[in-house]
Amino acid sequence: MLTQRIEIHKLWDGDNLILGFSIGGGIDQDPSQNPFSEDKADKGIYVTRVSKGGPAEVAGLRLGDKIMQVNGWDMTMVTHDQARKKLTKKNEDVVRLLVTRRSLEDAVRQSMMQH
Amino acid sequence: MMQIDRLADMEEKLRILEDLNMIYIRQIALSLKDSDIQKKIDYEIRMREGACKLLAACSQRDQALEASKSLLTCNARIMAYMSELQRMKEAQVMQRVARRSSDAGPMDDRSPCKAKVAISDLRIPLMWKDTEYFKNKGELHRCAVFCLLQLGGEIFDTDMVMVDRTLTDICFDNTIVFNEASPGFELRVELYSCCSEEDYSAGSTPRKLASKLSTSLGRSSGKKMRGALEPGACSPTSNGGGAAILLPVPSVPGPKYHLLAHTTLNLSHVQDSFRTHDFTITGNEECSYWLPLYGGVCCRLAAQPHCMTQQMMSGCLRVKLGGEPQGWTNVYGVLKGTNLFCYHQKEDMEANVEPVLTIGINKETRIRAAEKDPHSKAQNICITNQYGGEEVMHTLAADSREDTQHWMEAFWQQFYDMSQWRQCCDDLMKIELPSPRKPAIVTPKQGSLYHEMVIDTSDDIGTVTDILARRIEEFDLRSQLGSPPHWMSLFDEDPPRSPHSHQHLPPHSPSPRLHSRCHRTPGLLSSNASLTSDSDSPTSVRPCFRQAWSPDSNSSSGRFRPRTLSLDAKLSTLRGRGYGGFRCNCQPPTASSGSPRPTQIALSCSSSTSSSSSSEGSNSQESDLGFSRPSSARRSLRNLRAKLDPRNWLQSQV
């Protein structure tokens, strides 16, 4: 599992600071509905959408990434709302994420093995 | 290992006993030649098997709770039918006439009419104490509850409600109607509760099995059986209590409901408004399924006796109007409820025309057969009522002696019914017919059970979509602005028409779905078909895609079929959740032939069809779909409920 540090500079969109992606997951959510997780019991926070050309994409965040930390705060054991709040603090215009991403080779190898 | 052997042995014995029980039940039903009950029993047995299978198969808690509830209800119903069968068998043996008849017997053995009894708006107040909060340390103690209602042989369950500290009352919106209740009816209301955080593994199986076996073995003694089949007892208590003699609850893992409170309502509780009744609470604070009930239950219990809703008697009559001794008017009389309606003619009644005369028939009315009128062969009927202190008398006559007798009989029966049904006959109580209810076995919510059963997490489809999602990201990383991968164009809105059935892409909904995220998957499907092919020729790839993709194409070969069906299901569930994750072309890549492909995915076939921007357009549609929920989701109570609802998988835009 490779991890990556991603630094996203928030962007002003009217009155709001946006990052340009969406998250799903959380310990209060149903993990089996997460299409990105390898382990269907994984209640972590995943990136479910990346806006085209947005700050997140520019910074290197990708669809399906699992967010492990946000500015040092752990994201593996948080509720959905807690995660959202950590990302949308108004006084922060930069968030540093630690994310993991299943490498393509692993994924394809796994799928091939299952045939 | 001896322990396990013994366990398995006991399980086997239990299963045999269950089968024997079923055979016994069926035998009784058969011997009584009562196909009605037998059909019902068979139906319930099948439902029960279904519920057991569902319980064993599902892993989501709310589905397990629903299945367990269905199981309990089925068991209760089977028990009720068994009781009825037993009674009928007894009656047959003693050579008495079956007691189910509701026809008017001979005059001195009058039986009251039946009624429709409805219970609705059940509300059970709760009494949360401060100590509850501290005990749980902020953790929400949740229970799943539902009510089981039994009247006579009919058993109904309400919907399941999740209860926690945030509720002040448990409310059940269901209206439950029992037909064919007699005045001495007993409506048993039972509240079942199941803790929602329980670990459902059958940790105490050996004990349960042992208790079930011991009670099952004792079933042959008639006394025990009769005790268990007492009409009052609604349902077998969980975990093989005494009443489960004939139907030990199969030891499937899963949530088990426990009786938390019960009460029995009867005619005296019937009223055309809400009333509070006492609730007898079983269990105590130590039980996992405990809820702090206030001790009462509010509901509206209404009854509509047939004598109030149906025409009890109708026929031609002559009535004396006014003081004129000879002034007989022919009318068509209808006795219904508390009135005798006299219509000008029968057709008027059917056409809802106002009657000529309405005579009240109620508890204060006195009816007698008058002396023989010298002018007619039959006796007159005199009906006397008190209207505001004044006595008003109507005189009626039937056409023949027999008719007179019938009318008198009808009046007597009406009076008898009213005396039996008491307050229900003062005025007609309104009963709202409930809307068609959900079937007992829960239908998959949002396709999630379907999702579970059809798509396994180890199924390659999940990883297929994941892989392709990353695939696109890889494209994005490595390329500049350009056209989307060539194979994407295969799933354009208007595919080239081809007479060949293999190449037929269904023109309806799959197409736009494809654009957003699904189009990638056929690539891998075709890779399944031709595992290592890295073919460059566009034509050879195309038929593969089409064939693999079209979910309802008749021409798809057998080995593709299971995959495409499940793929379809997976994708529709994904889409159905408004899941907007798969934006395919954030940065549409250039000619994909340039990018090195690490594997044998047939996607690498570099068909030279050009891209179109239609995929982009539909993507933005998709993205709107994906975004619409998160943006409004943050601020309303709806969101709070959605967050607490384990069925939704929330996404938030940041």
Side-chain angles (χ1 to χ4, degrees):
Chain A
M1 279 283 235
L2 51 107
T3 64
Q4 194 173 341
R5 293 198 180 271
I6 292 182
E7 188 173 289
I8 305 180
H9 295 261
K10 296 187 188 176
L11 196 66
W12 280 105
D13 176 30
D15 288 337
N16 303 317
L17 272 175
I18 60 158
L19 289 148
F21 68 99
S22 294
I23 53 165
I27 54 176
D28 57 334
Q29 301 294 309
D30 177 6
S32 66
Q33 295 188 40
N34 183 346
F36 296 109
S37 53
E38 188 177 348
D39 170 15
K40 285 306 164 196
D42 181 1
K43 292 185 167 183
I45 305 295
Y46 282 77
V47 176
T48 61
R49 225 192 103 90
V50 180
S51 301
K52 178 180 163 180
E57 189 190 45
V58 163
L61 192 67
R62 294 292 168 256
L63 188 67
D65 286 351
K66 177 177 173 182
I67 302 178
M68 309 294 282
Q69 286 176 18
V70 171
N71 285 347
W73 295 98
D74 170 61
M75 288 281 124
T76 61
M77 276 287 148
V78 291
T79 64
H80 186 88
D81 209 40
Q82 283 169 346
R84 186 186 55 78
K85 284 184 176 148
K86 288 284 184 288
L87 287 161
T88 53
K89 290 199 157 146
K90 285 222 188 276
N91 54 357
E92 291 173 355
D93 50 5
V94 176
V95 285
R96 293 177 180 84
L97 311 181
L98 180 69
V99 305
T100 65
R101 180 180 304 159
R102 284 173 63 187
S103 71
L104 185 62
E105 280 87 351
D106 287 353
V108 173
R109 198 173 306 132
Q110 182 173 16
S111 81
M112 288 304 163
M113 281 194 313
Q114 283 170 356
H115 292 331
Chain B
M1 291 307 118
M2 279 285 281
Q3 186 70 3
I4 293 178
D5 283 348
R6 231 177 294 146
L7 246 171
D9 202 29
M10 283 162 95
E11 289 237 30
E12 186 63 37
K13 284 200 182 109
L14 197 62
R15 246 175 268 128
I16 293 174
L17 277 167
E18 279 187 40
D19 288 342
L20 282 173
N21 286 340
M22 291 308 159
I23 294 173
Y24 179 71
I25 291 169
R26 287 208 178 98
Q27 277 300 104
I28 296 185
L30 265 172
S31 73
L32 286 170
K33 292 190 176 42
D34 193 318
S35 58
D36 190 37
I37 294 233
Q38 185 178 8
K39 263 189 229 144
K40 285 192 212 163
I41 289 183
D42 278 344
Y43 176 77
E44 289 303 323
I45 289 175
R46 267 182 284 124
M47 292 290 276
R48 185 167 167 265
E49 282 165 8
C52 291
K53 287 204 189 97
L54 197 69
L55 252 185
C58 65
S59 62
Q60 300 224 3
R61 192 175 292 142
D62 55 345
Q63 288 156 4
L65 286 168
E66 287 282 353
S68 184
K69 170 168 89 90
S70 308
L71 183 62
L72 203 147
T73 312
C74 286
N75 283 341
R77 286 196 180 124
I78 297 178
M79 292 294 292
Y81 295 146
M82 282 296 304
S83 312
E84 197 168 331
L85 272 180
Q86 190 67 14
R87 261 181 273 127
M88 284 162 64
K89 185 83 179 170
E90 270 175 32
Q92 203 186 54
V93 162
M94 299 208 194
Q95 292 185 353
R96 246 190 267 140
V97 177
R99 286 180 248 129
R100 276 156 56 225
S101 159
S102 62
D103 300 327
M107 291 231 248
D108 44 343
D109 190 15
R110 208 178 284 279
S111 57
C113 66
K114 301 278 186 205
K116 212 162 38 164
V117 172
I119 182 167
S120 61
D121 305 289
L122 276 153
R123 185 170 64 88
I124 300 164
L126 296 166
M127 189 177 55
W128 298 100
K129 297 196 277 260
D130 284 340
T131 50
E132 287 284 328
Y133 178 77
F134 293 115
K135 211 195 295 178
N136 293 331
K137 289 193 173 48
E139 218 183 71
L140 225 50
H141 173 61
R142 291 180 104 194
C143 280
V145 299
F146 73 96
C147 270
L148 200 67
L149 300 121
Q150 179 179 23
L151 195 157
E154 292 181 282
I155 294 182
F156 293 105
D157 57 348
T158 62
D159 294 333
M160 185 187 73
V161 171
M162 294 299 287
V163 177
D164 57 38
R165 209 172 7 96
T166 63
L167 282 184
T168 55
D169 301 80
I170 309 174
C171 294
F172 295 106
D173 295 329
N174 311 82
T175 303
I176 298 192
V177 177
F178 298 94
N179 302 299
E180 310 304 313
S182 54
F185 73 85
E186 288 204 337
L187 172 55
R188 192 169 157 91
V189 181
E190 293 183 338
L191 180 70
Y192 285 91
S193 160
C194 172
C195 177
S196 182
E197 279 110 35
E198 231 172 56
D199 178 17
Y200 299 141
S201 61
S204 55
T205 316
R207 218 185 327 126
K208 276 187 233 163
L209 270 177
S211 70
K212 277 176 214 160
L213 266 177
S214 65
T215 51
S216 304
L217 287 167
R219 76 158 177 78
S220 49
S221 85
K223 264 192 215 158
K224 246 192 185 173
M225 188 159 61
R226 207 157 296 142
L229 294 180
E230 217 178 319
C234 233
S235 78
T237 54
S238 61
N239 299 336
I245 280 180
L246 276 165
L247 277 179
V249 176
S251 52
V252 285
K256 294 227 161 46
Y257 286 92
H258 306 260
L259 181 65
L260 181 58
H262 66 91
T263 185
T264 306
L265 304 173
N266 52 42
L267 183 58
S268 59
H269 299 113
V270 173
Q271 202 174 314
D272 198 5
S273 58
F274 295 99
R275 270 183 70 170
T276 308
H277 311 278
D278 285 326
F279 224 4
T280 316
I281 302 175
T282 59
N284 54 52
E285 279 192 6
E286 305 305 314
C287 305
S288 62
Y289 56 88
W290 169 256
L291 283 172
L293 300 179
Y294 195 77
V297 54
C298 308
C299 65
R300 181 174 173 269
L301 182 63
Q304 279 181 350
H306 290 334
C307 61
M308 297 294 286
T309 55
Q310 294 171 3
Q311 293 180 13
M312 300 310 279
M313 180 75 190
S314 60
C316 291
L317 286 169
R318 282 173 295 130
V319 64
K320 247 194 213 166
L321 287 171
E324 186 62 44
Q326 300 295 325
W328 290 102
T329 316
N330 286 325
V331 293
Y332 183 76
V334 173
L335 176 61
K336 182 172 153 184
T338 54
N339 291 300
L340 174 65
F341 300 102
C342 300
Y343 295 91
H344 185 56
Q345 50 183 359
K346 185 174 179 182
E347 290 70 31
D348 283 356
M349 176 207 58
E350 283 149 13
N352 273 335
V353 176
E354 287 290 311
V356 170
L357 172 67
T358 305
I359 305 174
I361 310 283
N362 52 49
K363 286 178 279 213
E364 316 297 321
T365 312
R366 282 173 288 133
I367 302 184
R368 59 183 176 86
E371 280 86 46
K372 259 204 172 131
D373 195 318
H375 297 276
S376 70
K377 301 173 221 129
Q379 291 170 295
N380 287 348
I381 301 171
C382 298
I383 303 177
T384 316
N385 274 312
Q386 292 264 350
Y387 287 124
E390 274 202 28
E391 256 197 24
V392 180
M393 186 172 84
H394 295 274
T395 313
L396 300 121
D399 289 335
S400 70
R401 181 183 293 272
E402 270 165 13
D403 284 350
T404 314
Q405 201 56 34
H406 286 148
W407 275 102
M408 288 308 289
E409 172 59 35
F411 289 133
W412 286 327
Q413 179 67 36
Q414 192 76 348
F415 284 141
Y416 182 69
D417 290 342
M418 286 195 221
S419 71
Q420 291 289 298
W421 284 106
R422 291 179 246 151
Q423 74 271 27
C424 309
C425 294
D426 291 341
D427 264 310
L428 185 63
M429 297 187 189
K430 245 201 304 190
I431 290 181
E432 266 166 31
L433 284 173
S435 49
R437 308 192 62 210
K438 296 197 300 252
I441 302 291
V442 67
T443 49
K445 296 180 173 58
Q446 286 235 330
S448 57
L449 183 63
Y450 182 51
H451 173 63
E452 292 246 347
M453 295 177 100
V454 176
I455 313 290
D456 202 313
T457 51
S458 61
D459 192 302
D460 58 320
I461 297 302
T463 47
V464 162
T465 48
D466 293 352
I467 288 162
L468 284 163
R470 282 157 183 71
R471 195 100 181 68
I472 292 303
E473 306 318 309
E474 297 289 319
F475 279 141
D476 297 345
L477 285 169
R478 288 176 203 147
S479 53
Q480 321 294 314
L481 272 162
S483 52
H486 301 132
W487 47 262
M488 271 205 231
S489 62
L490 287 171
F491 304 95
D492 287 352
E493 291 279 353
D494 17 79
R497 300 268 173 264
S498 165
H500 197 299
S501 58
H502 280 276
Q503 298 198 349
H504 167 65
L505 200 71
H508 45 273
S509 50
S511 215
R513 258 209 323 249
L514 292 178
H515 278 277
S516 43
R517 68 180 82 82
C518 316
H519 48 247
R520 294 176 227 119
T521 53
L524 262 175
L525 280 182
S526 70
S527 82
N528 297 334
S530 51
L531 264 179
T532 54
S533 85
D534 207 29
S535 130
D536 271 2
S537 89
T539 46
S540 67
V541 165
R542 249 177 207 251
C544 258
F545 280 158
R546 297 289 163 95
Q547 187 174 19
W549 174 239
S550 73
D552 46 4
S553 150
N554 296 330
S555 57
S556 60
S557 58
R559 69 189 159 129
F560 281 147
R561 188 162 278 278
R563 246 179 219 133
T564 54
L565 280 178
S566 57
L567 172 64
D568 194 36
K570 165 79 171 183
L571 294 164
S572 49
T573 55
L574 278 178
R575 182 161 203 276
R577 295 191 197 114
Y579 178 70
F582 282 75
R583 297 206 61 196
C584 72
N585 49 356
C586 321
Q587 304 265 314
T590 45
S592 39
S593 49
S595 348
R597 223 85 68 243
T599 69
Q600 322 91 308
I601 302 176
L603 280 175
S604 63
C605 70
S606 44
S607 32
S608 48
T609 48
S610 59
S611 72
S612 74
S613 55
S614 54
S615 38
E616 196 153 353
S618 64
N619 254 5
S620 55
Q621 258 175 31
E622 198 58 38
S623 64
D624 287 345
L625 203 75
F627 268 106
S628 59
R629 209 200 298 163
S631 48
S632 60
R634 258 171 265 175
R635 287 166 198 104
S636 61
L637 185 63
R638 225 186 323 120
N639 181 39
L640 180 65
R641 232 175 266 139
K643 279 186 183 161
L644 293 177
D645 186 343
R647 295 172 290 181
N648 293 334
W649 197 67
L650 280 184
Q651 293 172 56
S652 299
Q653 185 182 348
V654 296

